[in-house]
Amino acid sequence: AQTVTQSQPEMSVQEAETVTLSCTYDTSENNYYLFWYKQPPSRQMILVIRQEAYKQQNATENRFSVNFQKAAKSFSLKISDSQLGDTAMYFCAFMKPYGGKLIFGQGTELSVKP
Amino acid sequence: DAGITQSPRHKVTETGTPVTLRCHQTENHRYMYWYRQDPGHGLRLIHYSYGVKDTDKGEVSDGYSVSRSKTEDFLLTLESATSSQTSVYFCAISESAGVGNTIYFGEGSWLTVV
């Protein structure tokens, strides 16, 4: 069975600085998808970024980028130029290509301080 | 935003009573999911549906049942609510379970069992 682990329950960063959130996963699959979701205090689940395992290039979405290390089964999220609106819970998630089901990590609560 | 409506959004109920949560979508997506969110666990899949009258269990399905009689509606029923089912419940939808699949979430339903 697949598992996803986020080892940092809480993190904080100063506004405008860069922060990296860690995620590791365990799977025997060779092809899969990885996601980062943001959950602000409103509890809305917002897709931040997605990575296909068969792509070596790291995904980037504006200030958000990932460091995908397939051999190490690591999928970290880097937030550059942190903004107050980035304050939220961040979840790492795994999906098999044809399973349609997400497996989530425990979450990392990020606070951006002015 | 994906057209997903959950109802009720907030409910307090007594132990032993039946409870039904409704998820309604306007996207005509084939796949629908129910997750629960608890502190320290992230989101965990309860049940999912891959078409009308086609449903299957997730990782935490005990004590829950689901039904899908129409494409747009997916119901989650707690036959006899217990305090351990106090949680935030999220409905999600996706067009497919294959390559390029993206899962969209509803706004959540807060259930308190007293």
Side-chain angles (χ1 to χ4, degrees), chain B residues 35-79:
Chain B
Y35 287 86
R36 61 177 286 173
Q37 182 178 16
D38 305 292
H41 289 280
L43 279 77
R44 293 179 291 174
L45 182 64
I46 304 171
H47 281 280
Y48 66 102
S49 170
Y50 45 96
V52 174
K53 297 186 179 179
D54 291 324
T55 64
D56 205 349
K57 297 179 179 180
E59 66 177 303
V60 289
S61 59
D62 287 348
Y64 301 94
S65 63
V66 290
S67 66
R68 190 165 178 204
S69 59
K70 297 184 291 184
T71 298
E72 58 265 35
D73 289 328
F74 192 33
L75 305 180
L76 177 71
T77 297
L78 291 65
E79 301 290 348

Side-chain angles (χ1 to χ4, degrees), chain A residues 33 35 37 39 42-45 47 50 52 54 89 91 95-107, chain B residues 33 35 37 40-45 48 59 88 90 94 96-107 110:
Chain A
Y33 294 86
F35 303 82
Y37 278 88
Q39 187 181 49
S42 67
R43 294 280 191 142
Q44 181 80 32
M45 292 290 288
L47 178 63
R50 179 174 69 184
E52 291 88 343
Y54 61 87
M89 182 75 83
F91 291 99
M95 181 196 293
K96 290 193 290 187
Y98 294 99
K101 295 169 284 185
L102 286 167
I103 299 169
F104 286 88
Q106 306 91 325
Chain B
Y33 312 82
Y35 287 86
Q37 182 178 16
H41 289 280
L43 279 77
R44 293 179 291 174
L45 182 64
Y48 66 102
E59 66 177 303
V88 183
F90 286 92
S94 64
S96 72
V99 174
N101 174 55
T102 296
I103 293 182
Y104 300 96
F105 286 83
E107 296 182 323
W110 276 252

